[in-house]
Amino acid sequence: VAKAKGNSFLCLDQDEVVTPSSGSIEACDLLMIEGTFIHVKRWDGSQKLSAHAKQGSNSGHVMRNNQEFRDGLLNKLPSAWRKKKPWMNFSADFSARNHKVMIAIADAPHRTIPDDLPIFSKMTLMDECKALRAENYQVELYHIHLTQKTVAKGINKKTVK
């Protein structure tokens, strides 16, 4: 996605921000130029989804409360981004209201997210979304529809709709 969308997305998957105070934390999988932090996971069981939801809320919490973390993330951004809103004053004058956290779950199109999730996964996901909203982030759930072929064989980027 990041390559296909050119300058509007930045892939940060497995590219952790390292600080002495918070350790190593992945800010998100994809970052959009207008300030959306996207966390993407394939539905592969309750435990992984719960960890995914927690990752989103943990990075949002650290981002809101730790300038050192924001400085580290800012250093990963292309220089052209740093001259635009919301990145110009991102480190020193951070406001969660200027950012959206999107939790994207890749699964078969016949399922409804979050309604068709097991009860504990749904509860964890909703709790983490609530925690992000309490910190003033805009929060969005997104369902990436996978084809039946993809569900059987694993994620293939060409079959993600």
Side-chain angles (χ1 to χ4, degrees), residues 2-33:
K3 288 180 184 178
K5 296 294 181 179
N7 296 329
S8 59
F9 284 82
L10 179 64
C11 180
L12 293 174
D13 185 32
Q14 299 180 1
D15 187 1
E16 297 175 337
V17 176
V18 181
T19 66
S21 58
S22 61
S24 299
I25 297 176
E26 185 180 279
C28 59
D29 294 307
L30 290 169
L31 181 60
M32 293 177 68
I33 193 170

Side-chain angles (χ1 to χ4, degrees), residues 2 19 23 28-29 48 64 77 81 101 116 120 134 136-137 155:
T19 66
C28 59
D29 294 307
K48 286 185 180 181
R64 183 172 175 264
L77 302 184
W81 283 31
V101 176
D116 289 341
F120 292 116
N136 294 316
Y137 287 100
I155 291 179

Side-chain angles (χ1 to χ4, degrees), residues 120-153:
F120 292 116
S121 294
K122 187 186 326 183
M123 290 171 64
T124 300
L125 184 61
M126 294 298 100
D127 285 348
E128 299 309 324
C129 289
K130 185 177 177 180
L132 284 162
R133 286 186 185 105
E135 297 213 36
N136 294 316
Y137 287 100
Q138 302 166 57
V139 180
E140 200 173 287
L141 291 178
Y142 188 80
H143 182 183
I144 300 170
H145 292 184
L146 301 178
T147 65
Q148 290 300 320
K149 180 180 176 183
T150 304
V151 171
K153 293 186 176 182

Side-chain angles (χ1 to χ4, degrees), residues 92-133:
D93 190 25
F94 180 79
S95 173
R97 286 185 180 93
N98 296 331
H99 300 276
K100 182 187 298 181
V101 176
M102 180 186 295
I103 298 176
I105 301 167
D107 197 9
H110 69 274
R111 294 200 182 115
T112 303
I113 303 295
D115 296 339
D116 289 341
L117 295 174
I119 188 65
F120 292 116
S121 294
K122 187 186 326 183
M123 290 171 64
T124 300
L125 184 61
M126 294 298 100
D127 285 348
E128 299 309 324
C129 289
K130 185 177 177 180
L132 284 162
R133 286 186 185 105

Side-chain angles (χ1 to χ4, degrees), residues 37-56:
F37 298 90
I38 306 172
H39 301 270
V40 181
K41 286 289 182 271
R42 178 175 180 204
W43 166 248
D44 199 14
S46 296
Q47 187 175 8
K48 286 185 180 181
L49 184 61
S50 294
H52 173 56
K54 196 69 179 164
Q55 176 193 18

